[in-house]
Amino acid sequence: MTKSDAQPLEEITQLRATLDEANYRYYVLDDPTLTDADYDRQFQRLQELETEHPELITPDSPTQRVGAAPAEGFPSVAHAIPMLSLDNAFSREDIHAFAERVAERLECTADDVEFTCEPKLDGAAVSLVYEQGVLVSGATRGDGRTGEGITSNLRTLRSVPLKLRDSNVPALLEVRGEVIMRHAGFEALNERAREAGSKVFANPRNAAAGSLRQLDPRITAKRPLEFHAYQAARLEPDLGDTSHSELMARLATLGFRASSELKVIKGPQAVADYCEQLGEKRDGLGFDIDGVVIKVNDLRHQRELGFVARAPRWAVAFKFPAQEEVTTLNDVEFQ
Ligand SMILES: NC(=O)c1c(N)nc(OC2CCCC2)nc1O[C@@H]1CCC[C@@H]1O
């Protein structure tokens, strides 16, 4: 390899590392280091180099996010583990009853059970599969057992890592999470749609789901979508993480955004307090949530508790009143 040939590979490798790190800091740490102009300038330089040296292009390069070939349709994808729904809780009593049921099966007291609480994001649930640290498949939740293969569309989200960030990557990782559209992005999208006389979306959840199911990934790439991880569904080899909160911290080091509002909380009383506090913060979050997902934190306990027909015994969704029905949350008294 001559000196000049050696140059592009070094520069390409450096640019890819810089752009991947910029995505991680922007989308996972909420602590951007590059300005958009800097990002775009380095991205264009990488595109130039890869155009001059196409043999150096790799599928996990930041330039390979947006494919050009519109899909004819989406293939069906069977989820290795069903993407289940959640039973609901609507009051402090329901939270206590859930904790008591868990405690009874774990043969402990409800106050000894350690839960994690996190916002229940109101978007579109998806699953991402990584093999040897590289994204190989992305799918919608569908009916929970079978979804639609939308890998090309999910690759366009800069909050979806094309390759895992850590050095010791697991052989297999399946991450599940919610794709959301923030209110600001939703309003701007609908404004553009009204001006163009095209379809206006009813709410951010529909806008996110509709954007993910575009046949042309170049359209998805222009939509303000963010992926927020909420579960590591499969992990081989098992990295020995023993709790949901530890696993979510691991996902953050691997390059995923997890909820900054995730808290480890002991006992139903404190869980109900978290729900009340998050309900008061709901209108200021800038994106839609419809409650709190309360999970038993210990993964062994989750396995012991298992699932009933369609939902886990170890998790429940605390639901807030639908916002259209409630003028202000102050009207809602916590029983
Ligand atoms: N929407 C969410 O923010 C969310 C969450 N934070 N955590 C989970 O945990 C799963 C894990 C096993 C059962 C539920 N699920 C969520 O949403 C899903 C999408 C479809 C059914 C649940 O609502």
Side-chain angles (χ1 to χ4, degrees), residues 88-90 122 203 205 279 282-283 288-291 318-332:
N88 293 331
F90 297 96
D122 192 8
N203 55 54
R205 169 168 36 81
R282 181 187 191 185
D283 288 345
D288 287 344
I289 64 173
D290 59 349
F318 176 81
K319 302 298 289 283
F320 296 141
Q323 279 183 301
E324 301 77 53
E325 292 150 24
V326 175
T327 48
T328 65
L329 268 180
N330 305 332
D331 305 344
V332 179

Side-chain angles (χ1 to χ4, degrees), residues 83-86 118-123 125 141 177-178 229-231 244 290 293 295 307 312 314-315 317:
M83 291 183 72
L84 296 173
S85 56
L86 289 163
E118 61 201 60
K120 186 171 183 298
L121 301 176
D122 192 8
R141 174 174 179 256
E178 202 86 354
Y230 61 62
Q231 183 190 29
H244 174 63
D290 59 349
V293 181
K295 299 171 183 174
F307 300 82
W314 48 266

